[in-house]
Amino acid sequence: MTADAADDPIAELAGIRQSIDNIDAALIHLLAERFKFTQQVGRLKAANGMPPSAPERERVQVARLRALAEEAHLDPEFAEKWFTFVVAEVIHHHERLAGGVES
């Protein structure tokens, strides 16, 4: 941070917000990439008569992500809520694929 930014809270705020915006953009791109892979999983499951959800895998993933969140000083409850939301969307896509509806 420059001396000017340290002296100007508006400039400092703008710089911090730009960093947040950059992270948000990266997260969107990562989510898009993640969903490309989950679509592959959904097509594989549909083609082979596998169930859309995998409760045991989800349980293991929740535990893993909660531990990662703790290590990263992120609220594990938040990490679990995020994962649960994403998995619900993935399962919805898998159910559509199993029903013959291509997303």
Side-chain angles (χ1 to χ4, degrees):
M1 177 175 13
T2 66
D4 291 341
D7 295 335
D8 181 0
I10 300 300
E12 183 178 0
L13 182 61
I16 294 168
R17 285 182 171 161
Q18 184 60 56
S19 294
I20 291 168
D21 292 351
N22 291 342
I23 292 168
D24 287 346
L27 287 170
I28 293 300
H29 288 282
L30 286 170
L31 283 170
E33 194 66 20
R34 186 187 196 285
F35 275 96
K36 286 178 191 173
F37 286 109
T38 62
Q39 287 296 317
Q40 289 177 5
V41 167
R43 284 190 289 277
L44 183 65
K45 285 181 171 185
N48 292 282
M50 299 169 150
S53 66
E56 178 58 20
R57 173 168 165 70
E58 293 162 25
R59 186 192 65 72
V60 169
Q61 285 296 91
V62 164
R64 185 179 77 85
L65 293 175
R66 286 182 68 93
L68 287 170
E70 285 182 25
E71 289 172 18
H73 305 288
L74 179 69
D75 181 1
E77 287 292 322
F78 173 78
E80 184 173 345
K81 287 177 187 176
W82 169 83
F83 181 72
T84 300
F85 174 78
V86 169
V87 168
E89 187 64 21
V90 167
I91 290 170
H92 173 72
H93 288 166
H94 290 184
E95 289 169 344
R96 290 177 49 125
L97 290 166
V101 178
E102 187 73 27
S103 297

